[in-house]
């Protein structure tokens, strides 16, 4: 007979969900469960779901269905479904009817109560469904971190924006910010352990942090307070809505070495007509101005974005405007999504829905475009100096893998680097899409021009 109890968590969707799974795991670890990669061996299986696109939902249904034979073999197995999909009451009912073997269902607002639900179920063996209307922030719950030297930290929950395609405000509620001191305490405790070198702040729209608080605080001031903590680390953040990205935030990023220069600024479309229908509250011209400001103040910024193609009524002309914007901004990379109709959102009932065939064509065109641009961007890196973290020693004795601020990996030759230290690396060549570089000792700015010894090979 086995003595240990095991758990397995399926996580779908964004970084927010990855971190929420760390919180779910925290409750399980606290109760003595051990993680297993093998669902067959688990005593508790949790599905932490996502509903941002239909494709995610379909995959999740398939995965939950596949648990049925495992539950049949092991009736003591506890199956829980939570997260964005479960937060919608109708969907929660569908899950209950379609998969009667699911024991616990709860929404995004109840993640912090998972421990209590599990204890109740293990005690009474009564099925449980709990979906609360509003989130209550509970501080100090356990977190079992699984993202290496990066630690995710929520600074706020929910979203007030109601972009017409998006289900998030309906399943995650209105914006609510954590108190600055609670955030700082959490980060200080993480940094004290010396295990974490990157702190990534999480929110649907981090730029509107603090608007609901009485303290004299905003996102820029919060970042400033965090980087004053006396430890060596990089501060990252996601995601930013362009309409709320202030000059103060740009200045704060520009003026602090500890703040990452990787800025994810989803634009969604390059057509003003579509942006208006999407309720994004900015124009292409306004967006380009923000990008210009970023490039002027932060010359080594890594700029990335999200795009949706095939939004209702999107014409070829609208789509070409999106392509133009991508060429104009020269993003380091982009994420392109086919518009997915989400019931309950205004866009779902708009006339002029676009066929899957056209969406497919458009998404492929964007991906091709992004490949060309990001290849070009890689070549532009040659000769530049990037501040990187040493991630791993490679099998070749004197080679290390280091990672740039923008997430690119570089192979460097050196005989004595410490793992997880920050080093300045000059990028010397690119070969088969892999960057190579050498350690340099000077300050770590990114404004070097291409030097003679830079080589390109493929
Ligand atoms: N269909 C397709 N993509 C969507 N996103 C959000 N809602 C939808 C939808 N209904 C994309 C947006 C957002 C990213 C996280 O997901 O581009 O920035
Ligand atoms: Fe969705 Fe728009 Fe909020 Fe982002 S800002 S979560 S796209 S509603």
């Amino acid at each position: 007979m086995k003595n240990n109890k095991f758990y397995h968590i399926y996580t779908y969707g964004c970084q927010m969900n990855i971190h929420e799974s760390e919180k779910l795991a925290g409750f399980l670890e606290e109760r003595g469960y051990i993680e297993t990669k093998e669902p067959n061996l688990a005593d508790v299986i949790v599905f932490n779901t996502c509903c941002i696109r239909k494709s995610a939902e379909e995959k999740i249904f398939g995965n939950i269905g596949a648990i049925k034979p495992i539950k049949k073999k092991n009736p003591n197995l506890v199956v829980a479904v939570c997260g964005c999909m479960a937060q919608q009451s109708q969907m929660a009912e569908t899950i209950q009817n379609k998969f009667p073997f699911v024991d616990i269902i709860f929404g995004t607002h109840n993640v912090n109560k998972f421990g209590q639900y599990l204890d109740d179920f293990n005690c009474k063996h009564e099925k449980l469904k709990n979906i609360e209307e509003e989130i209550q922030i509970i501080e100090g719950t356990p977190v079992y971190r699984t993202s290496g030297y990066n630690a995710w930290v929520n600074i706020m929950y929910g979203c007030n924006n109601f972009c017409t395609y998006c289900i998030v405000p309906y399943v995650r509620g209105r914006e609510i910010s954590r108190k600055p001191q609670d955030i700082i305490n959490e980060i200080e405790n993480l940094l004290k352990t010396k295990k974490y070198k990157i702190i990534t702040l999480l929110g649907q729209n981090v730029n509107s942090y603090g608007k609901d608080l009485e303290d004299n605080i905003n996102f820029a001031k919060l970042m400033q307070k965090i980087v004053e903590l006396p430890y060596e680390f990089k501060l990252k953040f996601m995601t930013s809505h362009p309409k709320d990205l202030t000059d103060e935030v740009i200045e704060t990023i520009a003026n602090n070495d500890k703040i990452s220069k990787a800025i994810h600024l989803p634009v969604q479309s390059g057509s003003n007509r579509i942006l208006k229908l999407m309720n994004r509250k900015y124009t292409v011209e306004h967006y380009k101005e923000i990008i210009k400001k970023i490039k002027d103040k932060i010359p080594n910024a890594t700029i990335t974005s999200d795009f949706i193609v095939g939004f209702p009524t999107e014409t070829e002309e609208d789509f070409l405007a999106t392509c133009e914007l991508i060429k104009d901004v020269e993003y380091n990379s982009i994420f392109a999504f086919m518009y997915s109709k989400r019931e309950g959102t205004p866009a779902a009932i708009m006339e002029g829905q676009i066929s899957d065939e056209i969406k497919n064509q458009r998404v492929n065109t964007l991906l091709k475009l992004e490949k060309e641009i990001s290849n070009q961007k890689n070549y532009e890196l040659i000769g530049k100096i990037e501040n990187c973290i040493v991630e791993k020693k490679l099998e070749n004795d004197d080679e290390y893998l280091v990672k740039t601020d923008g997430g690119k990996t570089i192979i460097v030759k050196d005989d004595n680097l410490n793992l997880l230290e920050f080093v300045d690396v000059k990028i010397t060549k690119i070969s088969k899409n892999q960057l190579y570089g050498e350690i340099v000792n000077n300050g770590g700015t990114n404004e070097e021009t291409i030097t003679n010894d830079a080589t390109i090979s493929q």
Side-chain angles (χ1 to χ4, degrees), residues 159 161-163 165-166 168-169 204-205 241 268 280:
C159 179
N161 287 313
F162 290 94
C163 302
Y165 50 81
C166 186
V168 169
Q204 307 296 343
N205 177 14
H241 193 303
Q268 314 297 357
R280 290 293 288 179

Side-chain angles (χ1 to χ4, degrees), residues 92-109:
E93 224 164 273
T94 307
I95 294 167
Q96 219 171 9
N97 296 336
K98 218 171 146 82
F99 309 108
F101 56 87
V102 171
D103 302 300
I104 306 175
I105 299 178
F106 58 102
T108 50
H109 298 164

Side-chain angles (χ1 to χ4, degrees), residues 205-243:
N205 177 14
V206 290
N207 295 302
S208 66
Y209 171 78
K211 284 186 182 160
D212 56 322
L213 295 177
E214 279 166 17
D215 322 33
N216 175 25
I217 190 87
N218 60 23
F219 183 51
K221 291 193 177 78
L222 177 72
M223 284 201 292
Q224 189 60 48
K225 276 178 193 273
I226 296 170
V227 293
E228 279 161 18
L229 292 169
Y231 300 89
E232 193 194 37
F233 68 103
K234 272 252 160 77
L235 184 63
K236 295 193 167 195
F237 52 89
M238 59 180 29
T239 288
S240 295
H241 193 303
K243 79 174 167 58

Side-chain angles (χ1 to χ4, degrees), residues 354-389:
I354 306 292
S355 72
D356 285 349
E357 196 190 342
I358 292 182
K359 285 185 201 165
N360 241 312
Q361 279 170 10
R362 290 182 182 166
V363 90
N364 286 331
T365 307
L366 283 203
L367 293 176
K368 225 174 108 206
L369 194 59
E370 102 103 353
K371 220 174 184 172
E372 282 164 23
I373 295 173
S374 71
N375 274 346
Q376 176 60 29
K377 285 292 219 195
N378 270 349
Y379 283 108
E380 285 171 17
L381 282 174
I382 294 171
K384 292 205 167 146
I385 294 173
E386 291 266 332
N387 190 240
C388 301
I389 185 162

Side-chain angles (χ1 to χ4, degrees), residues 83 108 131 176 203 205 211 213 232 235 244 249 253 267 282 296 301 323 328-330 335 343 394 416 430 442 453:
T108 50
I131 297 151
I176 173 165
N205 177 14
K211 284 186 182 160
L213 295 177
E232 193 194 37
L235 184 63
D244 296 313
V249 168
I253 299 170
V267 63
Y282 52 80
D296 286 349
C323 297
D328 196 81
V329 175
E330 296 188 334
F335 298 90
E343 231 160 85
L394 294 176
N416 196 17
I430 176 167
N442 62 351
D453 55 343

Side-chain angles (χ1 to χ4, degrees), residues 245 250 263 265 267 284-298 301 303-305 325 328-331:
L245 187 69
I250 298 176
I263 302 177
L265 203 58
V267 63
V284 176
E285 293 70 29
H286 179 197
Y287 182 83
K288 281 190 191 166
E289 261 170 46
I290 301 170
I291 295 287
K292 184 172 181 314
K293 252 187 229 164
I294 295 174
K295 287 186 173 174
D296 286 349
K297 300 265 179 194
I298 314 169
I303 305 175
T304 55
S305 189
L325 180 66
D328 196 81
V329 175
E330 296 188 334
Y331 292 101

